[in-house]
Amino acid sequence: MTRDVMQEKILTILVQDFEFQEPGLDDNLRDDHGFDSIDAIELLGKIERILGFSLTREEKEKAMEIRTINDILDYLERIQQGRAQ
């Protein structure tokens, strides 16, 4: 899946499911949109559905570093690259 496709899917989820208003790729999820740890867990579940597989514990732990939408996209690319090897 390309970054553009992932971006479209993530933005759709954030707007429809988390009620983000005009999210910017470099917005801080917590500070700019009130995203909390419960939201993060829910988003990880939706990411697993997008990817079509369950994330490992290690992959989920790496998600704790995410602060922006661009971070989400970088995270998804790393997971896809790691699984492709």
Side-chain angles (χ1 to χ4, degrees), residues 2 4-7 9-11 14-15 17-18 22 24 26 30 32-33 37-38 47 55 61 65-66 81 84:
T2 67
D4 288 339
V5 170
M6 288 187 288
Q7 178 178 319
K9 290 178 182 272
I10 294 298
L11 288 174
L14 293 174
V15 169
D17 297 351
F18 296 97
E22 299 179 29
D26 291 317
R30 182 184 48 192
D32 297 330
H33 299 284
S37 58
I38 294 171
I47 286 172
L55 298 170
E61 288 173 359
E65 301 167 8
I66 292 173
Q81 290 169 356

Side-chain angles (χ1 to χ4, degrees), residues 1 3 13 15 20 26-27 38-39 45 58 61 68 78:
M1 183 177 334
R3 187 177 180 98
I13 288 169
V15 169
F20 279 29
D26 291 317
D27 290 358
I38 294 171
D39 294 328
E58 182 178 294
E61 288 173 359
T68 68
R78 282 193 305 274

Side-chain angles (χ1 to χ4, degrees), residues 39-80:
D39 294 328
I41 292 167
E42 186 177 340
L43 180 59
L44 281 175
K46 293 177 185 299
I47 286 172
E48 287 177 325
R49 280 183 244 133
I50 288 171
L51 295 172
F53 54 79
S54 295
L55 298 170
T56 66
R57 180 180 181 96
E58 182 178 294
E59 289 168 336
K60 289 178 182 176
E61 288 173 359
K62 295 272 187 200
M64 297 299 113
E65 301 167 8
I66 292 173
R67 299 291 176 261
T68 68
I69 295 168
N70 270 325
D71 289 345
I72 294 170
L73 299 172
D74 293 343
Y75 171 77
L76 292 173
E77 284 182 327
R78 282 193 305 274
I79 289 173
Q80 284 188 311

